[in-house]
Amino acid sequence: MLKNYHSHTERCGHAWGTDDEFVLAAIDAGFQVLGFSEHTPWPFADGYQEIDTRQRMRVEELEEYIAAVQALKEKYRDRIQIKVGLECECFPQYFDWLKTIRPKLDYLILGVHCADHDEHLTHYYARYNTPEQIKEYLRCTLTGMESGLFAYLAHPDLCLADYPVYDDVCKETVQSICRKAKELGMPLEYNLYGIDKQKRGRQKGLGYPCNLFWEAAADHGCTAIIGVDAHRPEHFNRQRFLDTQAYLTSLGLNLIEEI
Protein backbone atom coordinates (compact mmCIF):
# COMPACT_ATOMS: atom_id res chain seq x y z
CA MET A 1 0.00 0.00 0.00
CA LEU A 2 1.04 3.61 -0.56
CA LYS A 3 0.81 5.74 2.58
CA ASN A 4 2.35 9.15 3.09
CA TYR A 5 2.32 11.26 6.25
CA HIS A 6 4.53 14.13 5.06
CA SER A 7 2.76 16.80 3.01
CA HIS A 8 2.59 20.59 3.14
CA THR A 9 0.14 23.27 2.09
CA GLU A 10 0.36 26.81 0.77
CA ARG A 11 0.12 28.04 4.37
CA CYS A 12 3.86 27.52 4.88
CA GLY A 13 4.71 29.96 2.09
CA HIS A 14 6.92 27.59 0.10
CA ALA A 15 4.39 25.04 -1.18
CA TRP A 16 2.07 25.45 -4.13
CA GLY A 17 -1.40 24.05 -4.83
CA THR A 18 -4.74 23.94 -3.05
CA ASP A 19 -5.52 21.42 -0.34
CA ASP A 20 -7.94 19.65 -2.67
CA GLU A 21 -5.35 19.48 -5.44
CA PHE A 22 -2.98 17.68 -3.08
CA VAL A 23 -5.70 15.19 -2.12
CA LEU A 24 -6.72 14.50 -5.72
CA ALA A 25 -3.10 14.07 -6.80
CA ALA A 26 -2.54 11.55 -4.02
CA ILE A 27 -5.67 9.64 -5.04
CA ASP A 28 -4.64 9.64 -8.71
CA ALA A 29 -1.21 8.26 -7.73
CA GLY A 30 -2.83 5.40 -5.83
CA PHE A 31 -2.23 6.47 -2.24
CA GLN A 32 -4.52 5.01 0.39
CA VAL A 33 -3.44 7.36 3.22
CA LEU A 34 -2.52 11.05 2.99
CA GLY A 35 -1.20 12.88 6.01
CA PHE A 36 -0.83 16.64 6.05
CA SER A 37 2.09 17.76 8.25
CA GLU A 38 2.40 21.49 7.89
CA HIS A 39 5.41 23.24 9.42
CA THR A 40 4.54 24.05 13.02
CA PRO A 41 3.91 27.68 13.93
CA TRP A 42 5.49 28.60 17.23
CA PRO A 43 4.39 31.16 19.86
CA PHE A 44 7.77 32.84 19.93
CA ALA A 45 8.55 34.57 23.21
CA ASP A 46 9.86 37.66 21.39
CA GLY A 47 6.62 38.02 19.44
CA TYR A 48 8.27 37.18 16.12
CA GLN A 49 5.70 36.67 13.36
CA GLU A 50 6.64 34.72 10.25
CA ILE A 51 4.98 36.98 7.71
CA ASP A 52 6.30 36.63 4.16
CA THR A 53 9.28 34.60 5.36
CA ARG A 54 8.32 31.42 3.44
CA GLN A 55 9.06 29.24 6.45
CA ARG A 56 5.95 28.26 8.40
CA MET A 57 2.33 29.21 8.87
CA ARG A 58 1.52 31.62 11.66
CA VAL A 59 0.04 30.63 15.01
CA GLU A 60 -3.29 32.26 14.16
CA GLU A 61 -3.59 29.98 11.10
CA LEU A 62 -3.29 26.76 13.09
CA GLU A 63 -6.96 26.27 13.98
CA GLU A 64 -8.05 26.96 10.40
CA TYR A 65 -5.49 24.46 9.13
CA ILE A 66 -6.73 21.74 11.46
CA ALA A 67 -10.37 22.46 10.60
CA ALA A 68 -9.64 22.45 6.87
CA VAL A 69 -7.95 19.05 6.98
CA GLN A 70 -10.73 17.65 9.16
CA ALA A 71 -13.20 18.81 6.49
CA LEU A 72 -11.12 17.06 3.83
CA LYS A 73 -11.32 13.84 5.87
CA GLU A 74 -15.09 13.90 5.56
CA LYS A 75 -15.20 15.12 1.96
CA TYR A 76 -12.94 12.33 0.66
CA ARG A 77 -13.68 9.62 3.22
CA ASP A 78 -14.83 7.14 0.57
CA ARG A 79 -11.70 7.64 -1.56
CA ILE A 80 -8.72 8.11 0.77
CA GLN A 81 -7.90 8.25 4.48
CA ILE A 82 -6.69 11.69 5.49
CA LYS A 83 -4.81 12.60 8.66
CA VAL A 84 -3.73 15.90 10.17
CA GLY A 85 -0.36 16.44 11.81
CA LEU A 86 2.54 18.84 12.11
CA GLU A 87 6.23 18.75 11.22
CA CYS A 88 8.13 20.21 14.16
CA GLU A 89 11.51 21.75 14.86
CA CYS A 90 13.38 20.79 18.01
CA PHE A 91 12.40 23.77 20.15
CA PRO A 92 12.36 22.32 23.70
CA GLN A 93 11.44 25.73 25.07
CA TYR A 94 8.03 25.33 23.40
CA PHE A 95 7.42 21.62 23.93
CA ASP A 96 4.96 22.30 26.75
CA TRP A 97 2.91 24.43 24.35
CA LEU A 98 3.16 21.70 21.72
CA LYS A 99 1.70 19.22 24.19
CA THR A 100 -1.36 21.43 24.62
CA ILE A 101 -2.25 21.23 20.92
CA ARG A 102 -1.26 17.58 20.46
CA PRO A 103 -4.80 16.26 21.28
CA LYS A 104 -6.15 18.10 18.21
CA LEU A 105 -3.79 16.23 15.88
CA ASP A 106 -3.32 12.69 14.64
CA TYR A 107 0.47 12.80 14.90
CA LEU A 108 3.63 14.89 15.11
CA ILE A 109 6.84 14.31 13.17
CA LEU A 110 10.28 15.70 13.92
CA GLY A 111 11.93 17.62 11.09
CA VAL A 112 15.04 19.49 12.22
CA HIS A 113 15.90 22.39 9.90
CA CYS A 114 17.64 24.74 12.32
CA ALA A 115 19.25 24.90 15.75
CA ASP A 116 17.12 24.95 18.88
CA HIS A 117 18.17 28.55 19.56
CA ASP A 118 17.61 29.71 15.97
CA GLU A 119 13.90 30.47 16.28
CA HIS A 120 13.84 32.67 13.18
CA LEU A 121 15.46 30.01 10.98
CA THR A 122 18.35 32.23 9.97
CA HIS A 123 20.61 29.23 9.26
CA TYR A 124 19.34 26.18 7.37
CA TYR A 125 20.96 22.82 8.14
CA ALA A 126 20.81 21.70 4.51
CA ARG A 127 23.33 24.47 3.76
CA TYR A 128 25.77 23.48 6.51
CA ASN A 129 29.23 22.32 5.47
CA THR A 130 31.52 22.40 8.54
CA PRO A 131 32.11 19.76 11.21
CA GLU A 132 30.94 22.15 13.94
CA GLN A 133 27.63 22.67 12.18
CA ILE A 134 27.13 18.92 11.72
CA LYS A 135 27.76 18.37 15.43
CA GLU A 136 25.13 20.99 16.23
CA TYR A 137 22.62 19.23 13.98
CA LEU A 138 23.30 15.97 15.80
CA ARG A 139 22.80 17.54 19.23
CA CYS A 140 19.47 19.11 18.28
CA THR A 141 18.25 15.99 16.50
CA LEU A 142 19.02 13.68 19.42
CA THR A 143 17.27 16.06 21.81
CA GLY A 144 14.15 15.98 19.68
CA MET A 145 14.25 12.22 19.30
CA GLU A 146 14.57 11.72 23.04
CA SER A 147 11.55 13.93 23.81
CA GLY A 148 9.08 11.13 23.04
CA LEU A 149 6.76 13.56 21.23
CA PHE A 150 7.29 12.45 17.67
CA ALA A 151 6.15 9.52 15.55
CA TYR A 152 9.27 9.52 13.38
CA LEU A 153 12.31 11.54 12.28
CA ALA A 154 11.87 13.24 8.92
CA HIS A 155 14.82 13.57 6.50
CA PRO A 156 17.41 12.43 9.09
CA ASP A 157 20.18 12.98 6.54
CA LEU A 158 19.19 16.58 5.71
CA CYS A 159 22.48 17.92 7.08
CA LEU A 160 24.38 16.01 4.37
CA ALA A 161 22.86 18.03 1.52
CA ASP A 162 25.84 20.37 1.17
CA TYR A 163 28.34 18.54 3.37
CA PRO A 164 31.32 17.83 1.10
CA VAL A 165 32.79 14.53 2.31
CA TYR A 166 31.93 11.51 4.44
CA ASP A 167 34.56 12.27 7.09
CA ASP A 168 34.82 10.99 10.66
CA VAL A 169 32.50 13.69 12.05
CA CYS A 170 29.92 12.95 9.39
CA LYS A 171 30.19 9.21 9.99
CA GLU A 172 29.78 9.62 13.76
CA THR A 173 26.71 11.80 13.21
CA VAL A 174 25.13 9.17 11.00
CA GLN A 175 26.01 6.35 13.38
CA SER A 176 24.69 8.26 16.40
CA ILE A 177 21.33 9.00 14.78
CA CYS A 178 20.96 5.38 13.70
CA ARG A 179 21.90 4.07 17.15
CA LYS A 180 19.40 6.36 18.83
CA ALA A 181 16.65 5.46 16.36
CA LYS A 182 17.21 1.77 17.01
CA GLU A 183 17.30 2.31 20.78
CA LEU A 184 14.03 4.27 20.73
CA GLY A 185 12.31 2.18 18.07
CA MET A 186 11.84 5.43 16.13
CA PRO A 187 11.39 5.16 12.35
CA LEU A 188 13.64 7.15 10.03
CA GLU A 189 12.13 8.79 6.97
CA TYR A 190 13.50 8.33 3.47
CA ASN A 191 12.56 11.70 2.00
CA LEU A 192 11.43 11.82 -1.62
CA TYR A 193 11.53 15.61 -1.84
CA GLY A 194 15.29 15.28 -1.42
CA ILE A 195 15.39 13.21 -4.61
CA ASP A 196 13.52 15.98 -6.40
CA LYS A 197 16.05 18.52 -5.14
CA GLN A 198 18.95 16.33 -6.28
CA LYS A 199 17.52 16.12 -9.77
CA ARG A 200 17.27 19.91 -9.87
CA GLY A 201 20.88 20.37 -8.76
CA ARG A 202 19.90 21.93 -5.42
CA GLN A 203 22.42 19.97 -3.36
CA LYS A 204 26.17 20.57 -3.47
CA GLY A 205 27.53 17.86 -1.17
CA LEU A 206 26.74 14.28 -0.22
CA GLY A 207 23.08 15.08 -0.67
CA TYR A 208 19.96 13.65 0.90
CA PRO A 209 18.68 11.04 0.82
CA CYS A 210 22.23 9.70 1.09
CA ASN A 211 22.95 6.04 0.35
CA LEU A 212 25.71 5.96 2.97
CA PHE A 213 23.20 6.98 5.62
CA TRP A 214 20.70 4.32 4.61
CA GLU A 215 23.33 1.60 4.46
CA ALA A 216 24.26 2.52 8.04
CA ALA A 217 20.59 2.49 9.04
CA ALA A 218 20.28 -1.02 7.64
CA ASP A 219 23.42 -2.13 9.51
CA HIS A 220 21.88 -0.87 12.76
CA GLY A 221 18.57 -2.64 12.13
CA CYS A 222 16.61 0.61 11.95
CA THR A 223 13.02 0.94 10.80
CA ALA A 224 12.29 3.13 7.78
CA ILE A 225 9.26 4.99 6.48
CA ILE A 226 8.90 6.75 3.13
CA GLY A 227 7.84 10.39 3.11
CA VAL A 228 6.82 12.23 -0.03
CA ASP A 229 7.33 15.62 1.68
CA ALA A 230 4.96 16.98 -0.93
CA HIS A 231 5.21 20.70 -1.64
CA ARG A 232 3.36 20.46 -4.95
CA PRO A 233 0.60 18.10 -6.12
CA GLU A 234 2.92 16.64 -8.76
CA HIS A 235 5.25 15.37 -6.03
CA PHE A 236 2.95 12.38 -5.59
CA ASN A 237 5.03 10.23 -7.94
CA ARG A 238 3.88 6.62 -7.70
CA GLN A 239 6.88 5.11 -9.49
CA ARG A 240 9.38 7.02 -7.33
CA PHE A 241 7.62 5.70 -4.22
CA LEU A 242 7.67 2.11 -5.51
CA ASP A 243 11.32 2.35 -6.57
CA THR A 244 12.20 3.58 -3.08
CA GLN A 245 10.32 0.70 -1.48
CA ALA A 246 12.36 -1.70 -3.59
CA TYR A 247 15.66 0.03 -2.73
CA LEU A 248 15.06 0.07 1.02
CA THR A 249 13.87 -3.53 0.99
CA SER A 250 17.02 -4.52 -0.91
CA LEU A 251 19.08 -3.09 1.95
CA GLY A 252 17.18 -5.27 4.41
CA LEU A 253 15.47 -2.38 6.14
CA ASN A 254 12.17 -2.97 7.89
CA LEU A 255 9.63 -0.68 6.19
CA ILE A 256 6.55 0.48 8.06
CA GLU A 257 3.33 2.04 6.76
CA GLU A 258 1.48 2.94 9.97
CA ILE A 259 2.45 5.52 12.57
Side-chain angles (χ1 to χ4, degrees):
M1 298 180 72
L2 276 66
K3 300 182 180 183
N4 168 59
Y5 301 94
H6 196 166
S7 308
H8 295 283
T9 75
E10 289 185 337
R11 295 169 185 82
C12 70
H14 60 275
W16 294 266
T18 67
D19 297 348
D20 285 87
E21 287 172 339
F22 275 76
V23 175
L24 293 172
I27 292 171
D28 289 345
F31 283 81
Q32 290 80 35
V33 176
L34 169 61
F36 284 95
S37 56
E38 192 53 278
H39 292 287
T40 305
W42 300 95
F44 295 117
D46 66 358
Y48 175 64
Q49 291 291 314
E50 291 165 306
I51 301 172
D52 299 326
T53 56
R54 300 176 65 82
Q55 295 175 16
R56 317 177 182 101
M57 64 178 165
R58 300 185 298 275
V59 173
E60 57 266 30
E61 296 178 287
L62 179 60
E63 293 297 333
E64 181 276 331
Y65 161 69
I66 295 172
V69 178
Q70 295 291 0
L72 292 173
K73 287 186 182 185
E74 180 61 24
K75 182 176 181 179
Y76 294 99
R77 61 186 174 89
D78 294 330
R79 303 178 66 184
I80 192 171
Q81 183 181 2
I82 295 176
K83 295 180 178 291
V84 59
L86 290 170
E87 180 184 8
C88 310
E89 301 295 338
C90 178
F91 288 157
Q93 60 272 39
Y94 300 115
F95 280 176
D96 284 344
W97 171 82
L98 190 60
K99 292 174 184 177
T100 68
I101 65 170
R102 176 63 180 87
K104 302 177 182 181
L105 304 162
D106 294 317
Y107 62 94
L108 299 171
I109 61 177
L110 176 64
V112 180
H113 302 85
C114 61
D116 50 14
H117 59 268
D118 186 14
E119 296 183 358
H120 301 181
L121 191 57
T122 56
H123 299 286
Y124 179 36
Y125 276 135
R127 297 292 171 261
Y128 276 15
N129 55 23
T130 70
E132 293 73 23
Q133 291 169 327
I134 294 296
K135 290 177 182 178
E136 182 184 84
Y137 174 82
L138 174 61
R139 177 183 62 79
C140 292
T141 299
L142 295 182
T143 298
M145 294 174 74
E146 291 168 347
S147 71
L149 289 171
F150 306 107
Y152 69 76
L153 175 60
H155 41 64
D157 42 358
L158 177 78
C159 66
L160 306 184
D162 282 0
Y163 200 74
V165 62
Y166 199 67
D167 58 15
D168 289 343
V169 171
C170 183
K171 182 177 180 180
E172 178 54 31
T173 296
V174 169
Q175 297 287 330
S176 295
I177 291 173
C178 292
R179 283 196 299 267
K180 183 59 66 174
K182 177 63 176 178
E183 173 191 328
L184 298 173
M186 188 175 193
L188 300 171
E189 180 203 72
Y190 192 98
N191 187 277
L192 300 189
Y193 192 32
I195 295 178
D196 180 76
K197 290 179 178 180
Q198 288 174 351
K199 290 182 179 296
R200 291 186 285 118
R202 292 282 305 279
Q203 300 178 9
K204 302 175 182 178
L206 294 167
Y208 83 95
C210 175
N211 288 350
L212 291 169
F213 181 96
W214 292 100
E215 290 165 8
D219 289 342
H220 282 81
C222 294
T223 298
I225 188 168
I226 300 171
V228 174
D229 197 0
H231 284 71
R232 298 175 183 268
E234 56 264 34
H235 287 164
F236 291 98
N237 184 319
R238 178 183 178 85
Q239 191 57 54
R240 180 175 290 172
F241 198 98
L242 294 175
D243 289 345
T244 299
Q245 283 182 327
Y247 166 67
L248 296 175
T249 300
S250 74
L251 293 178
L253 280 158
N254 177 32
L255 271 173
I256 66 164
E257 297 177 341
E258 300 290 342
I259 61 172

